[in-house]
């Protein structure tokens, strides 16, 4: 990384830490516009929340998309979430899949969910279970809950229905425990 860019990023971080949010936004936006992917994600978040700037969902989506094109897992996930809200499920699934390839747990959950419910892709319960199980094994509470719901509905057969109830209870307990430690954890993002 260039020394000049690093100095600008340090200044942006300091401005944010000091509560100079409008200045921080401006500094990060310059870096984002120059192609710094982490800054693109941060500017997108600031725009989506109205932190240091006026809230602007479409601008936020544009910055998330720029980061997603470079394969940044958060950019992929949040751009895909925007696409999902816009009803563009097939395109959203592609970006969730890009994030999932980087082992981003919320993206893995969304891929499994899309496959289970046929959102933007053909329904594939076997592949859905594989992806959801991997995310659940890494502690993603919503992936575990989705596995439980699918099992409770008998999607893997009647034998799995009581196990589904246990999975749902485990997901609720696990989610509660994680939220007590860190309610911003990736394990709780769906």
């Amino acid at each position: 990384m260039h020394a000049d860019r690093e100095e600008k990023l340090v200044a942006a971080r300091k401005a944010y830490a000091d509560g100079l949010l409008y200045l921080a936004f401006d500094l990060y936006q310059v870096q984002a516009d120059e192609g710094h992917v982490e800054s693109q994600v941060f500017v997108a978040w600031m725009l989506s929340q109205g932190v240091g700037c006026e809230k602007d969902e479409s601008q936020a989506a544009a910055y998330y998309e720029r980061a997603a094109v470079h394969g940044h897992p958060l950019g992929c996930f949040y751009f895909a979430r925007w696409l999902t809200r816009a009803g563009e499920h097939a395109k959203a699934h592609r970006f969730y899949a890009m994030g999932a390839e980087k082992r981003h747990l919320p993206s893995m959950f969304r891929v499994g969910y899309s496959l289970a419910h046929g959102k933007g892709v053909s329904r594939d319960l076997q592949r859905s279970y594989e992806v959801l199980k991997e995310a659940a094994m890494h502690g993603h509470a919503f992936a575990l809950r989705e596995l439980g719901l699918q099992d409770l509905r008998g999607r893997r057969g009647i034998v799995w229905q009581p196990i589904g109830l246990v999975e749902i209870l485990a997901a609720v307990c696990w989610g509660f425990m994680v939220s007590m430690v860190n309610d911003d954890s990736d394990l709780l993002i769906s």
Side-chain angles (χ1 to χ4, degrees):
M1 183 179 303
H2 299 88
D4 184 48
R5 173 171 280 169
E6 185 58 38
E7 289 173 17
K8 289 177 182 177
L9 289 171
V10 167
R13 286 185 208 111
K14 182 170 178 3
Y16 185 81
D18 291 345
L20 303 170
L21 302 179
Y22 289 98
L23 176 59
F25 176 80
D26 290 341
L27 293 171
Y28 275 115
Q29 188 175 35
V30 168
Q31 294 305 303
D33 290 342
E34 290 178 1
H36 186 253
V37 179
E38 292 290 331
S39 294
Q40 290 168 349
V41 170
F42 199 65
V43 166
W45 172 80
M46 292 179 87
L47 283 162
S48 73
Q49 302 300 307
V51 174
C53 59
E54 189 171 319
K55 186 174 181 172
D56 187 334
E57 289 290 331
S58 63
Q59 275 292 95
Y63 277 100
Y64 279 132
E65 181 179 20
R66 289 169 68 182
V69 167
H70 293 304
H72 192 286
L74 288 176
C76 292
F77 177 76
Y78 285 108
F79 181 58
R81 289 290 302 267
W82 187 81
L83 291 167
T84 298
R85 286 192 299 275
E88 296 185 44
H89 298 290
K91 190 172 181 182
H93 179 78
R94 287 194 303 273
F95 281 98
Y96 287 133
M98 287 173 62
E101 287 173 10
K102 306 270 183 162
R103 314 321 295 158
H104 182 250
L105 294 178
S107 295
M108 293 170 69
F109 162 71
R110 281 292 172 171
V111 167
Y113 182 89
S114 296
L115 289 165
H117 296 276
K119 295 281 188 180
V121 291
S122 297
R123 194 176 208 196
D124 183 343
L125 291 177
Q126 181 60 39
R127 180 72 182 123
S128 170
Y129 278 110
E130 292 168 8
V131 176
L132 289 169
K133 182 179 176 186
E134 185 175 349
M137 300 266 300
H138 285 92
H140 195 271
F142 287 99
L144 181 56
R145 183 200 66 183
E146 183 63 26
L147 284 173
L149 288 170
Q150 298 302 319
D151 287 338
L152 196 58
R153 292 177 184 134
R155 298 260 166 87
R156 286 196 291 180
I158 195 166
V159 175
W160 285 90
Q161 285 180 316
I163 294 169
L165 184 59
V166 172
E167 289 168 324
I168 291 170
L169 290 172
V172 170
C173 292
W174 175 244
F176 178 74
M177 288 179 6
V178 171
S179 72
M180 296 302 290
V181 175
N182 178 4
D183 62 354
D184 287 331
S185 172
D186 275 357
L187 301 178
L188 300 176
I189 296 175
S190 66

